[in-house]
Amino acid sequence: MADEMGQQEYVGHRLIEVAALPARVAYLIAEGSSDGFRAAVRAATHRWGGMTEPIIEMTSEMDNEAVAKLVRIADVQAVVNVDTDASRAAQLGDSWKLPVVAIDDMRSGAPGGIWEFTSPSESMSDLLGGRLVRPTVQTQKALCGL
């Protein structure tokens, strides 16, 4: 709360708990694409140590229902198109109700881009006065003890 001069009024202590984690994504690669696979492995390894982000090869025989189940179980928040057809990737993203972004735009900060850390929840945003906090390189280094 601010007074008429814009000064912030002290309202007391607040305890909040924050988990700063990368947003989980699923990577879509073209059928038989070893370059796409390597790019997806590099990105997943950088973000989560390669453990929790599925890499999905877009084959003609792909079982969409099984892949949708995998995406739900992995609890991904977005889809990254590494090197597959953009319109097919967009269709899959729509069917899973997830945003799709090209791998080159992953950390661009552009609308639809996927940030290194997840966005605060609504309640967290309310606690911060409606401001969304974007982590900086310094924040990331501090969290990693660098």
Side-chain angles (χ1 to χ4, degrees):
M1 294 181 215
D3 63 17
E4 59 274 353
M5 295 182 59
Q7 298 289 325
Q8 291 290 327
E9 178 183 336
Y10 178 73
V11 292
H13 289 63
R14 290 188 186 191
L15 178 62
I16 59 173
E17 189 173 317
V18 177
L21 305 169
R24 284 197 175 111
V25 300
Y27 299 92
L28 301 179
I29 63 170
E31 187 169 5
S33 174
S34 56
D35 289 341
F37 180 74
R38 280 193 285 279
V41 167
R42 270 193 306 272
T45 301
H46 171 75
R47 293 162 41 81
W48 278 99
M51 302 273 298
T52 62
E53 297 187 317
I55 299 171
I56 302 166
E57 183 180 19
M58 302 286 287
T59 65
S60 54
E61 306 90 38
M62 188 171 86
D63 181 349
N64 288 342
E65 195 172 306
V67 173
K69 184 176 182 179
L70 169 69
V71 167
R72 276 194 313 277
I73 290 170
D75 193 28
V76 301
Q77 287 88 36
V79 178
V80 175
N81 183 3
V82 177
D83 65 351
T84 193
D85 178 65
S87 62
R88 188 164 178 216
Q91 287 175 340
L92 275 178
D94 288 345
S95 71
W96 299 333
K97 297 179 178 45
L98 294 172
V100 178
V101 65
I103 194 164
D104 292 337
D105 297 333
M106 226 170 133
R107 291 192 214 152
S108 68
I114 301 165
W115 289 87
E116 188 68 21
F117 297 103
T118 56
S119 296
S121 67
E122 275 187 40
S123 58
M124 180 67 170
S125 180
D126 290 344
L127 283 173
L128 297 171
R131 293 174 288 132
L132 292 179
V133 177
R134 300 287 188 210
T136 63
V137 172
Q138 292 80 11
T139 304
Q140 294 174 28
K141 287 180 179 178
L143 289 170
C144 295
L146 301 175

